[in-house]
Amino acid sequence: MTWSNGDGDAIQLGHGGGGRLSQQLIRELLLPALGTSDGVLHDAALLPAQPGRLAFTTDSYVVRPLIFPGGDIGRLAVLGSINDLAMAGAIPVALSLGLILEEGLPIATLNTVVASIQRAAVECGVAVVTGDTKVVERGKGDGLFINTSAVGRVDHNLCIHPPAVMAGDAVLVSGDLGRHGVAILAARDHLGFRTTLRSDLASLLPPVQALLAAGLELHCLRDLTRGGLASAIDEIATSAGWAIELQEPAIPVGAEVSGACQLLGLDPLAMANEGRMVVVLPQSQAEEALTLLRQVESSAAQIGTVLTAASPNNPWPVQLRSELGVLRPLDLGQGEQLPRIC
Amino acid sequence: MTWSNGDGDAIQLGHGGGGRLSQQLIRELLLPALGTSDGVLHDAALLPAQPGRLAFTTDSYVVRPLIFPGGDIGRLAVLGSINDLAMAGAIPVALSLGLILEEGLPIATLNTVVASIQRAAVECGVAVVTGDTKVVERGKGDGLFINTSAVGRVDHNLCIHPPAVMAGDAVLVSGDLGRHGVAILAARDHLGFRTTLRSDLASLLPPVQALLAAGLELHCLRDLTRGGLASAIDEIATSAGWAIELQEPAIPVGAEVSGACQLLGLDPLAMANEGRMVVVLPQSQAEEALTLLRQVESSAAQIGTVLTAASPNNPWPVQLRSELGVLRPLDLGQGEQLPRIC
């Protein structure tokens, strides 16, 4: 069986059984594709000693379809977890890869996704050092689910998390919103609309490193994945115990995303992104931060301000001020509008 | 919706959508059950600085049924990854938890599994510090899949891996084989046989720490999960470049496992275990190691010896010597005999 000419070749249950087929899958497809072809298989990978604090994160990826405009589940699985490290201001040290394959998955699809994983890992300066493959029966999975976990090192002394947020802070976004969600929806044929939009899927390491290198006092970073800006801002406000007011006209949403959301009755602020983040930092540093963010994405913008804590008179953690100056609470939504967006 | 009285309550797609239902699941069920109820959600967890090398491992768990004699998928998911750390002689520092839930999974089942995860984590002296939950549509998953990844610290200076194996080394197992596999098979009703056997699921941290504390020169450790002893020994021999001879009568297999395997036409040496390991170390230290291992499991035994490298005259990496002295190659199997054993 040659892994490379995958016509008709498909994953069998035995590829997950721990016997000869499992070893063949690991030795002939996974290890060479991931650049770890020394042929030595370890239960646990050893990492060199790291100075300072560590960051650790995990995410599973069940996106549908597996390949979409601007990316695929493999690239998403690497950048998604690396972006979670970036939200702690951490530099990636090592990545793990857990695959859950459905019986019948074409080997050619697996080859494509694993090659994409490797390219994304190289781009982020990290290696897949440990992994695992399971196979479930036909009809008990959906082609391919991926888990990645990542270890990073923290070279700064900041505490970048909601409790560090202060009244008066500026709230920025690193670019226009909603392109990942719309690209995924468009790729689901049955939705019956077409767009030239591609996912915003991208590594957030470069902009975060630029902000840290400039010595900016980052209070909170949050990448805008499932649930979009709405979910992230609500979490930050609720965790931090402050209220946040967003200026609706300042929130960057492209015309194509805006149009698609109107067509489908969806809220662009709740649409998923995979290469966008919120940055909360002192208002006095907002301009410098925006200049740095715009070197990566010209649409980066300040979209709001942290106010004092929510009060009985104003019980909403996040409010939106419209173009006409009217305030309304942010609608978090029940969250079921977009299943399996990541 | 009260998480605790789960009658009729079930996972909905919206629990994975990143909105209000997702936050409710995390804040009201997962965080309290995992003892991390400070209400602060981070993209990445921060870990204190660790001296020395780190170990890092990942595994996904798709075992069927979710609850089986001697354990459940939650306990398996914690001990499985902690045992992978133990195979590097590492002490656990942090655990991640990735859940892939199928729409319709009873909340009561999730509660049971998450409580089991927390008990197992406490038993191993580790905490779940970061996690992720995804939901897939009914018929696109199978109730519950779990990924755990673990970070450990390495306090010793040994290189415990196949390249350290030497000709003349003793090959030990830490206890009787095959109980996990037989317990899982018996729990699958349609197989039509009953047994009182329980899975051997257990933490391997205590026996490994005992071996390290005694200053023994461990060359290789390998836990015997999928594929059982056969797969592990084949991997060690192949990776190390030596041949290994096993003494068949010395391999501890209980009467119930042996009987079930005969009934089902399965090889006990290829049956899965979840609390057993192979230990390879100098023959001169084998007795001391066995004394320590037998304080945990009285059935621990020396089962073989590392020979010189496989040669053209003897091309099999692993051979079994029968009671009558006849040598035959170890049959690794294609590996499909037992799908979804872990």
Side-chain angles (χ1 to χ4, degrees):
Chain A
M1 182 170 185
T2 305
W3 296 111
S4 49
N5 68 355
D7 295 350
D9 285 344
I11 289 295
Q12 307 166 34
L13 275 178
H15 283 121
R20 208 174 296 281
L21 279 175
S22 292
Q23 292 203 2
Q24 193 183 14
L25 181 69
I26 295 168
R27 287 182 195 279
E28 298 180 17
L29 191 155
L30 294 173
L31 292 184
L34 296 171
T36 48
S37 52
D38 67 353
V40 180
L41 304 168
H42 306 292
D43 286 318
L46 287 181
L47 309 178
Q50 303 293 325
R53 293 177 297 170
L54 300 171
F56 182 33
T57 188
T58 193
D59 260 320
S60 298
Y61 299 86
V62 300
V63 68
R64 206 166 39 83
L66 295 178
I67 297 169
F68 50 81
D72 63 80
I73 190 173
R75 183 169 174 78
L76 178 61
V78 173
L79 298 186
S81 290
I82 295 304
N83 285 350
D84 281 345
L85 287 187
M87 295 307 97
I91 306 282
V93 167
L95 194 66
S96 72
L97 176 65
L99 300 172
I100 299 179
L101 312 178
E102 185 191 11
E103 184 187 11
L105 175 75
I107 297 281
T109 304
L110 184 59
N111 263 321
T112 300
V113 170
V114 175
S116 176
I117 287 170
Q118 174 62 2
R119 275 195 304 273
V122 167
E123 182 183 323
C124 296
V126 68
V128 174
V129 299
T130 185
D132 174 59
T133 305
K134 293 293 190 305
V135 180
V136 297
E137 303 89 337
R138 209 179 286 265
K140 299 295 186 185
D142 196 14
L144 171 58
F145 300 146
I146 298 181
N147 177 283
T148 54
S149 300
V151 176
R153 64 170 206 273
V154 179
D155 290 345
H156 59 77
N157 293 315
L158 302 171
C159 287
I160 306 174
H161 62 170
V165 170
M166 314 239 318
D169 279 355
V171 179
L172 320 181
V173 289
S174 65
D176 64 308
L177 300 181
R179 282 204 268 129
H180 178 72
V182 173
I184 293 285
L185 287 177
R188 293 184 189 162
D189 286 339
H190 60 281
L191 283 174
F193 80 98
R194 287 280 172 274
T195 167
T196 57
L197 273 184
R198 294 164 65 81
S199 167
D200 49 61
L201 179 58
S203 168
L204 293 171
L205 283 175
V208 171
Q209 288 307 309
L211 297 172
L212 286 169
L216 297 179
E217 191 192 318
L218 304 177
H219 288 170
C220 190
L221 300 171
R222 186 63 53 105
D223 59 339
L224 307 177
T225 58
R226 270 186 302 184
L229 178 72
S231 179
I233 289 281
D234 182 83
E235 264 186 47
I236 292 172
T238 306
S239 298
W242 301 107
I244 292 178
E245 183 178 313
L246 300 181
Q247 307 297 323
E248 200 166 15
I251 301 174
V253 179
E256 266 199 280
V257 168
S258 178
C261 284
Q262 277 176 15
L263 187 72
L264 297 167
L266 298 171
D267 178 0
L269 302 194
M271 292 295 275
N273 312 268
E274 290 293 344
R276 296 292 181 261
M277 62 178 167
V278 155
V279 178
V280 185
L281 82 178
Q283 181 65 55
S284 60
Q285 302 183 357
E287 269 313 307
E288 186 178 355
L290 280 174
T291 303
L292 293 167
L293 292 175
R294 285 176 179 150
Q295 288 171 9
V296 181
E297 283 291 334
S298 58
S299 53
Q302 176 164 357
I303 60 168
T305 307
V306 179
L307 306 179
T308 50
S311 70
N313 291 334
N314 177 12
W316 304 101
V318 184
Q319 295 198 87
L320 280 165
R321 190 174 291 276
S322 74
E323 206 148 4
L324 299 174
V326 180
L327 269 180
R328 67 172 201 276
L330 178 77
D331 180 18
L332 184 56
Q334 288 293 307
E336 60 279 76
Q337 69 173 11
L338 296 172
R340 299 182 59 187
I341 206 78
C342 60
Chain B
M1 183 170 183
T2 306
W3 295 113
S4 48
N5 68 355
D7 295 350
D9 285 342
I11 289 294
Q12 308 166 34
L13 274 180
H15 284 120
R20 210 173 295 281
L21 280 174
S22 291
Q23 292 203 1
Q24 194 184 16
L25 181 71
I26 295 168
R27 288 184 194 280
E28 298 181 18
L29 191 156
L30 295 173
L31 292 183
L34 296 171
T36 46
S37 51
D38 65 354
V40 180
L41 304 168
H42 306 291
D43 286 317
L46 287 182
L47 310 178
Q50 303 293 326
R53 292 177 297 169
L54 301 171
F56 183 33
T57 188
T58 193
D59 260 321
S60 298
Y61 300 86
V62 299
V63 68
R64 206 167 38 84
L66 295 178
I67 297 169
F68 49 83
D72 63 79
I73 190 172
R75 184 169 173 78
L76 178 62
V78 174
L79 297 186
S81 291
I82 295 303
N83 285 350
D84 281 344
L85 286 186
M87 295 307 98
I91 308 282
V93 168
L95 195 65
S96 72
L97 175 65
L99 301 172
I100 298 178
L101 312 178
E102 186 192 10
E103 184 187 12
L105 176 76
I107 297 281
T109 304
L110 184 58
N111 263 321
T112 300
V113 170
V114 174
S116 177
I117 286 170
Q118 174 63 2
R119 277 195 303 275
V122 168
E123 183 183 323
C124 295
V126 69
V128 173
V129 299
T130 185
D132 173 61
T133 305
K134 293 292 190 305
V135 180
V136 297
E137 303 90 338
R138 211 179 284 267
K140 300 295 186 185
D142 197 13
L144 172 57
F145 301 145
I146 298 181
N147 177 283
T148 54
S149 301
V151 175
R153 64 170 205 272
V154 179
D155 290 344
H156 60 76
N157 292 313
L158 301 171
C159 287
I160 307 174
H161 61 171
V165 171
M166 315 241 319
D169 278 356
V171 179
L172 320 181
V173 289
S174 65
D176 65 309
L177 300 182
R179 282 204 270 128
H180 178 72
V182 172
I184 292 286
L185 287 178
R188 293 184 189 162
D189 287 340
H190 60 278
L191 284 173
F193 79 98
R194 287 279 173 275
T195 168
T196 57
L197 272 184
R198 293 165 64 81
S199 168
D200 49 61
L201 180 57
S203 169
L204 292 170
L205 284 175
V208 171
Q209 288 305 310
L211 296 173
L212 286 170
L216 297 178
E217 190 191 319
L218 304 177
H219 288 170
C220 190
L221 300 171
R222 186 63 54 106
D223 58 339
L224 307 177
T225 57
R226 267 186 302 184
L229 178 71
S231 179
I233 289 283
D234 181 83
E235 263 186 47
I236 293 172
T238 305
S239 297
W242 302 106
I244 292 178
E245 183 177 314
L246 300 180
Q247 307 297 323
E248 199 166 17
I251 300 173
V253 179
E256 265 200 281
V257 168
S258 178
C261 284
Q262 278 175 15
L263 186 72
L264 297 168
L266 298 171
D267 178 1
L269 303 194
M271 291 295 274
N273 313 265
E274 290 293 344
R276 297 292 181 262
M277 61 178 168
V278 156
V279 179
V280 184
L281 81 178
Q283 182 64 55
S284 59
Q285 303 183 356
E287 268 316 307
E288 187 178 355
L290 280 173
T291 303
L292 293 167
L293 292 175
R294 284 176 181 149
Q295 289 171 7
V296 181
E297 283 290 335
S298 59
S299 53
Q302 176 165 356
I303 60 167
T305 308
V306 179
L307 306 179
T308 49
S311 70
N313 292 335
N314 177 12
W316 304 100
V318 185
Q319 294 196 87
L320 280 165
R321 191 174 291 277
S322 76
E323 206 147 6
L324 299 174
V326 180
L327 270 181
R328 66 172 202 279
L330 178 77
D331 181 17
L332 184 55
Q334 287 293 307
E336 59 278 77
Q337 69 173 14
L338 296 171
R340 299 183 57 186
I341 207 78
C342 61

